[in-house]
Amino acid sequence: MNAPLARLIAGQICLHACMAGMRMAAPLLALQQGYSAAAVGVLLALFALTQVFLALPAGRFADRHGLRRPVRWSVGMAFSGAALAVAFPVYPVLCLSALMTGGAAGVAVIALQRHVGRAADNPTQLKQVFGWLSIGPAVSNFIGPFAAGLLIDHAGPSAGSLPGYRTAFALMAVLSLATWFWVRHTRELPAVALKTGAARPRVRDFLREPMMGRLLVVNWLLASCWDVHTFVVPILGHERGYSASVIGTILGAFAIAAAVIRLFLPMLAAHLKEWVVVSMAMGITALIFAVYPLMPSALTMGLCSVLLGLTLGSVQPMIMSTLHQITPPHRQGEALGLRLMTINASSVMMPLLFGAAGALIGVSGVFWVVGAAVGAGTRPAWRLRPKTARPAG
């Protein structure tokens, strides 16, 4: 990992940690203020909702303006969202803060992914840089909630007091500003010149491309696996009488395993083919989902969680490398936005679908249905082979 990439990852960690900390603290404050679980669910959904609508415009903006301008706007939006929560820690403002910090994280990640992808010289470097970049969210998902939790418990006159929440929100605002400290001196890459008289790009052009269509379907299936695991494991554990700490440990084992495999991917990048890794991940995930509900104890469920984390954690760098190889350089930001839009739309809608399906066929049935769908996706995943190994930018 070189110094410029390390600075970009540090910037990504700071801004994503701001969003992750807000995503943990805001619902807790809403619950403390007496709002219902349904209201808290709406608040949580708002962190992903903005990204659904901003992703495509943000991608096109990054295609036109590069890295620093989108990140600067993202920092301003995240800082304003967190600062509003400091000044007015009430539910309507927390909802606005969720929209702003969630949207800011989405806009920034598109610009960062586009920049590091264009800076890579070949497919091996693509896998390496996206392997390193994918570690950032795993780190920030720990730093943000952990720091916010400490301040909520210890920064006020008593644990869970309003001053503690305000201090936590203030730290999230400072973290967002730290992003600009890391990114501000990054050298912009040369702009991609468009052909004179070229037709205005349209999203439907992407969707008509077989490779892009396959990639979006495969990526959506794999993203659904993350959602179903997060949604179903607490319900399954509750049905079996496991404590909250045991359920949290099972989910935590998944997150740690996903982060660990990403540490090794950059070192193995030269020996990996994207379509092979993605196809194998989908086949293994289908098998794990088939046996997961049959596990007789928390220990064996934890083992499945670790295996699933190792499997799904290997996928994102391969998907990102493939996307940059099959997308024209002048539309890579737009393609990244389209991918992020589908993922966040899934994160908003799939829990509702899982809940309805679980009521009809049981939570084990949800695992098996999603596992079957992922297994069926191995064929299009195997066909995700770029015809030419062109560089990203």
Side-chain angles (χ1 to χ4, degrees):
M1 187 195 307
N2 55 38
L5 179 59
R7 287 195 294 271
L8 291 178
I9 292 172
Q12 179 194 29
I13 288 173
C14 290
L15 193 58
H16 196 276
C18 167
M19 186 272 292
M22 293 293 296
R23 191 172 55 193
M24 188 277 289
L28 287 180
L29 181 57
L31 287 171
Q32 182 176 297
Q33 293 175 343
Y35 286 91
S36 67
V40 171
V42 170
L43 177 58
L44 283 170
L46 293 177
F47 283 95
L49 185 63
T50 320
Q51 297 184 35
V52 175
F53 298 102
L54 280 184
L56 271 176
R60 290 168 178 158
F61 189 78
D63 282 332
R64 293 194 302 270
H65 300 290
L67 172 70
R68 289 201 299 262
R69 188 180 296 184
V71 172
R72 189 164 59 240
W73 278 100
S74 298
V75 169
M77 184 161 46
F79 175 81
S80 299
L84 281 172
V86 176
F88 308 103
V90 294
Y91 182 79
V93 176
L94 294 178
C95 290
L96 179 59
S97 297
L99 290 168
M100 296 176 74
T101 55
V107 171
V109 77
I110 290 170
L112 287 165
Q113 289 171 345
R114 177 185 178 275
H115 181 87
V116 300
R118 289 195 63 221
D121 294 326
N122 54 60
T124 297
Q125 283 192 9
L126 278 171
K127 287 174 281 190
Q128 288 173 335
V129 296
F130 282 117
W132 290 119
L133 196 66
S134 66
I135 297 170
V139 175
S140 56
N141 280 334
F142 170 77
I143 291 175
F146 179 74
L150 284 179
L151 291 175
I152 290 169
D153 284 342
H154 301 291
S158 60
S161 63
L162 189 57
Y165 279 99
R166 279 186 156 139
T167 307
F169 295 146
L171 177 62
M172 298 305 108
V174 171
L175 278 174
S176 69
L177 291 179
T179 298
W180 187 242
F181 169 81
W182 293 111
V183 176
R184 71 189 192 281
H185 293 312
T186 302
R187 181 177 63 86
E188 290 282 9
L189 298 173
V192 180
L194 300 179
K195 294 181 180 179
T196 305
R200 182 180 179 182
R202 296 175 298 180
V203 174
R204 71 179 70 174
D205 299 332
F206 271 140
L207 300 180
R208 288 173 180 167
E209 290 291 332
M211 286 288 285
M212 180 59 72
R214 290 185 204 122
L215 185 141
L216 290 175
V217 169
V218 167
N219 195 75
W220 172 72
L221 285 170
L222 291 165
S224 297
C225 293
W226 290 73
D227 291 334
V228 74
H229 186 256
T230 303
F231 178 83
V232 172
V233 167
I235 297 175
L236 199 60
H238 178 74
E239 288 181 352
R240 297 180 177 184
Y242 299 153
S243 67
S245 60
V246 169
I247 295 171
T249 301
I250 294 172
L251 292 174
F254 171 86
I256 292 171
V260 167
I261 192 63
R262 289 174 177 178
L263 287 172
F264 290 97
L265 284 177
M267 294 175 276
L268 301 173
H271 308 288
L272 301 174
K273 298 295 185 184
E274 293 92 340
W275 65 90
V276 175
V277 174
V278 175
S279 300
M280 289 182 62
M282 297 188 80
I284 294 171
T285 298
L287 292 175
I288 294 173
F289 272 27
V291 301
Y292 208 130
L294 305 177
M295 292 295 102
S297 66
L299 181 61
T300 52
M301 285 180 64
L303 178 61
C304 282
S305 185
V306 169
L307 293 175
L308 192 64
L310 293 172
T311 302
L312 294 178
S314 67
V315 168
Q316 187 192 22
M318 305 299 147
I319 291 286
M320 300 301 298
S321 174
T322 302
L323 184 146
H324 274 77
Q325 293 178 66
I326 67 175
T327 306
H330 66 282
R331 299 191 69 185
Q332 285 172 351
E334 186 179 4
L336 289 165
L338 183 60
R339 172 187 169 271
L340 189 67
M341 182 181 72
T342 58
I343 290 175
N344 282 285
S346 174
S347 295
V348 172
M349 298 302 298
M350 292 309 284
L352 301 176
L353 181 60
F354 294 152
L360 290 174
I361 60 177
V363 291
S364 298
V366 173
F367 259 129
W368 292 328
V369 169
V370 174
V374 172
T378 54
R379 187 169 183 270
W382 187 255
R383 297 171 65 193
L384 279 174
R385 305 187 189 191
K387 294 180 180 180
T388 57
R390 71 187 181 199

Short mmCIF file of all heavy atoms in Angstrom, two decimals, residues 212-234:
data_model
loop_
_atom_site.label_atom_id
_atom_site.label_comp_id
_atom_site.label_asym_id
_atom_site.label_seq_id
_atom_site.Cartn_x
_atom_site.Cartn_y
_atom_site.Cartn_z
N MET A 212 -22.69 -5.79 -17.71
CA MET A 212 -23.14 -4.95 -16.62
C MET A 212 -24.40 -5.52 -15.98
O MET A 212 -24.55 -5.50 -14.75
CB MET A 212 -23.40 -3.52 -17.11
CG MET A 212 -23.88 -2.56 -16.03
SD MET A 212 -22.75 -2.37 -14.64
CE MET A 212 -21.44 -1.42 -15.40
N GLY A 213 -25.31 -6.05 -16.80
CA GLY A 213 -26.51 -6.66 -16.25
C GLY A 213 -26.17 -7.83 -15.35
O GLY A 213 -26.73 -7.98 -14.26
N ARG A 214 -25.24 -8.69 -15.80
CA ARG A 214 -24.84 -9.83 -14.96
C ARG A 214 -24.21 -9.35 -13.66
O ARG A 214 -24.48 -9.88 -12.58
CB ARG A 214 -23.83 -10.70 -15.72
CG ARG A 214 -24.42 -11.49 -16.88
CD ARG A 214 -23.37 -12.40 -17.48
NE ARG A 214 -23.72 -12.69 -18.87
CZ ARG A 214 -22.95 -12.45 -19.91
NH1 ARG A 214 -21.76 -11.90 -19.73
NH2 ARG A 214 -23.35 -12.74 -21.14
N LEU A 215 -23.34 -8.34 -13.77
CA LEU A 215 -22.65 -7.86 -12.57
C LEU A 215 -23.64 -7.31 -11.55
O LEU A 215 -23.53 -7.58 -10.35
CB LEU A 215 -21.62 -6.80 -12.95
CG LEU A 215 -20.75 -6.29 -11.81
CD1 LEU A 215 -19.31 -6.08 -12.29
CD2 LEU A 215 -21.28 -4.97 -11.24
N LEU A 216 -24.63 -6.54 -12.01
CA LEU A 216 -25.60 -5.97 -11.08
C LEU A 216 -26.44 -7.05 -10.41
O LEU A 216 -26.73 -6.97 -9.21
CB LEU A 216 -26.50 -4.97 -11.82
CG LEU A 216 -25.84 -3.66 -12.26
CD1 LEU A 216 -26.82 -2.82 -13.08
CD2 LEU A 216 -25.34 -2.86 -11.06
N VAL A 217 -26.83 -8.07 -11.18
CA VAL A 217 -27.62 -9.16 -10.60
C VAL A 217 -26.80 -9.92 -9.57
O VAL A 217 -27.26 -10.20 -8.44
CB VAL A 217 -28.12 -10.12 -11.70
CG1 VAL A 217 -28.69 -11.39 -11.09
CG2 VAL A 217 -29.16 -9.42 -12.57
N VAL A 218 -25.56 -10.26 -9.92
CA VAL A 218 -24.69 -11.00 -9.00
C VAL A 218 -24.42 -10.17 -7.75
O VAL A 218 -24.49 -10.67 -6.62
CB VAL A 218 -23.37 -11.37 -9.71
CG1 VAL A 218 -22.32 -11.84 -8.71
CG2 VAL A 218 -23.63 -12.45 -10.76
N ASN A 219 -24.14 -8.88 -7.93
CA ASN A 219 -23.86 -8.02 -6.79
C ASN A 219 -25.08 -7.88 -5.88
O ASN A 219 -24.96 -7.88 -4.65
CB ASN A 219 -23.42 -6.64 -7.29
CG ASN A 219 -22.78 -5.82 -6.20
OD1 ASN A 219 -21.65 -6.05 -5.81
ND2 ASN A 219 -23.51 -4.83 -5.70
N TRP A 220 -26.27 -7.78 -6.49
CA TRP A 220 -27.49 -7.69 -5.69
C TRP A 220 -27.73 -8.96 -4.90
O TRP A 220 -28.10 -8.91 -3.71
CB TRP A 220 -28.68 -7.40 -6.60
CG TRP A 220 -29.99 -7.48 -5.88
CD1 TRP A 220 -30.48 -6.60 -4.97
CD2 TRP A 220 -30.96 -8.53 -5.97
NE1 TRP A 220 -31.71 -7.02 -4.50
CE2 TRP A 220 -32.02 -8.20 -5.10
CE3 TRP A 220 -31.03 -9.70 -6.72
CZ2 TRP A 220 -33.12 -9.02 -4.95
CZ3 TRP A 220 -32.14 -10.52 -6.57
CH2 TRP A 220 -33.17 -10.17 -5.69
N LEU A 221 -27.51 -10.12 -5.51
CA LEU A 221 -27.70 -11.38 -4.80
C LEU A 221 -26.76 -11.48 -3.61
O LEU A 221 -27.16 -11.88 -2.51
CB LEU A 221 -27.46 -12.56 -5.75
CG LEU A 221 -28.57 -12.85 -6.76
CD1 LEU A 221 -28.09 -13.88 -7.79
CD2 LEU A 221 -29.83 -13.35 -6.07
N LEU A 222 -25.50 -11.11 -3.82
CA LEU A 222 -24.53 -11.20 -2.74
C LEU A 222 -24.81 -10.18 -1.64
O LEU A 222 -24.66 -10.46 -0.45
CB LEU A 222 -23.11 -11.02 -3.29
CG LEU A 222 -22.63 -12.18 -4.16
CD1 LEU A 222 -21.40 -11.79 -4.97
CD2 LEU A 222 -22.32 -13.41 -3.30
N ALA A 223 -25.25 -8.97 -2.02
CA ALA A 223 -25.62 -7.97 -1.02
C ALA A 223 -26.82 -8.45 -0.20
O ALA A 223 -26.89 -8.19 1.01
CB ALA A 223 -25.93 -6.64 -1.69
N SER A 224 -27.73 -9.15 -0.85
CA SER A 224 -28.89 -9.69 -0.13
C SER A 224 -28.47 -10.70 0.93
O SER A 224 -29.12 -10.84 1.97
CB SER A 224 -29.87 -10.34 -1.12
OG SER A 224 -30.39 -9.39 -2.01
N CYS A 225 -27.36 -11.41 0.67
CA CYS A 225 -26.87 -12.37 1.65
C CYS A 225 -26.42 -11.68 2.93
O CYS A 225 -26.65 -12.18 4.04
CB CYS A 225 -25.72 -13.19 1.06
SG CYS A 225 -26.21 -14.28 -0.28
N TRP A 226 -25.75 -10.52 2.78
CA TRP A 226 -25.39 -9.75 3.97
C TRP A 226 -26.65 -9.34 4.74
O TRP A 226 -26.72 -9.46 5.97
CB TRP A 226 -24.62 -8.49 3.57
CG TRP A 226 -23.24 -8.72 3.05
CD1 TRP A 226 -22.89 -9.25 1.85
CD2 TRP A 226 -22.01 -8.44 3.73
NE1 TRP A 226 -21.52 -9.29 1.73
CE2 TRP A 226 -20.95 -8.79 2.86
CE3 TRP A 226 -21.70 -7.87 4.97
CZ2 TRP A 226 -19.61 -8.63 3.20
CZ3 TRP A 226 -20.36 -7.70 5.31
CH2 TRP A 226 -19.33 -8.09 4.44
N ASP A 227 -27.65 -8.85 4.00
CA ASP A 227 -28.89 -8.38 4.64
C ASP A 227 -29.62 -9.51 5.34
O ASP A 227 -30.10 -9.34 6.47
CB ASP A 227 -29.80 -7.73 3.60
CG ASP A 227 -29.25 -6.41 3.07
OD1 ASP A 227 -28.47 -5.76 3.80
OD2 ASP A 227 -29.58 -6.04 1.93
N VAL A 228 -29.73 -10.66 4.68
CA VAL A 228 -30.50 -11.76 5.27
C VAL A 228 -29.78 -12.30 6.51
O VAL A 228 -30.42 -12.67 7.49
CB VAL A 228 -30.77 -12.87 4.24
CG1 VAL A 228 -29.54 -13.69 3.95
CG2 VAL A 228 -31.89 -13.78 4.73
N HIS A 229 -28.45 -12.33 6.48
CA HIS A 229 -27.72 -12.81 7.65
C HIS A 229 -27.93 -11.87 8.84
O HIS A 229 -28.21 -12.31 9.96
CB HIS A 229 -26.23 -12.93 7.32
CG HIS A 229 -25.42 -13.54 8.42
ND1 HIS A 229 -24.61 -12.81 9.25
CD2 HIS A 229 -25.31 -14.84 8.83
CE1 HIS A 229 -24.02 -13.61 10.12
NE2 HIS A 229 -24.42 -14.85 9.89
N THR A 230 -27.82 -10.56 8.58
CA THR A 230 -28.02 -9.58 9.65
C THR A 230 -29.45 -9.62 10.19
O THR A 230 -29.67 -9.42 11.40
CB THR A 230 -27.71 -8.17 9.12
OG1 THR A 230 -26.37 -8.16 8.62
CG2 THR A 230 -27.85 -7.13 10.22
N PHE A 231 -30.41 -9.90 9.32
CA PHE A 231 -31.82 -9.88 9.71
C PHE A 231 -32.24 -11.17 10.41
O PHE A 231 -32.95 -11.14 11.42
CB PHE A 231 -32.67 -9.66 8.46
CG PHE A 231 -34.16 -9.66 8.72
CD1 PHE A 231 -34.79 -8.51 9.16
CD2 PHE A 231 -34.92 -10.81 8.52
CE1 PHE A 231 -36.16 -8.51 9.40
CE2 PHE A 231 -36.28 -10.81 8.76
CZ PHE A 231 -36.90 -9.66 9.20
N VAL A 232 -31.81 -12.32 9.87
CA VAL A 232 -32.35 -13.59 10.33
C VAL A 232 -31.65 -14.12 11.58
O VAL A 232 -32.31 -14.71 12.45
CB VAL A 232 -32.28 -14.64 9.19
CG1 VAL A 232 -32.65 -16.03 9.70
CG2 VAL A 232 -33.21 -14.24 8.05
N VAL A 233 -30.34 -13.92 11.70
CA VAL A 233 -29.61 -14.50 12.84
C VAL A 233 -30.17 -14.03 14.19
O VAL A 233 -30.37 -14.86 15.10
CB VAL A 233 -28.10 -14.21 12.72
CG1 VAL A 233 -27.38 -14.51 14.03
CG2 VAL A 233 -27.51 -15.06 11.60
N PRO A 234 -30.46 -12.73 14.39
CA PRO A 234 -31.06 -12.36 15.68
C PRO A 234 -32.40 -13.03 15.93
O PRO A 234 -32.69 -13.43 17.08
CB PRO A 234 -31.23 -10.83 15.55
CG PRO A 234 -30.20 -10.42 14.56
CD PRO A 234 -30.14 -11.53 13.57
#
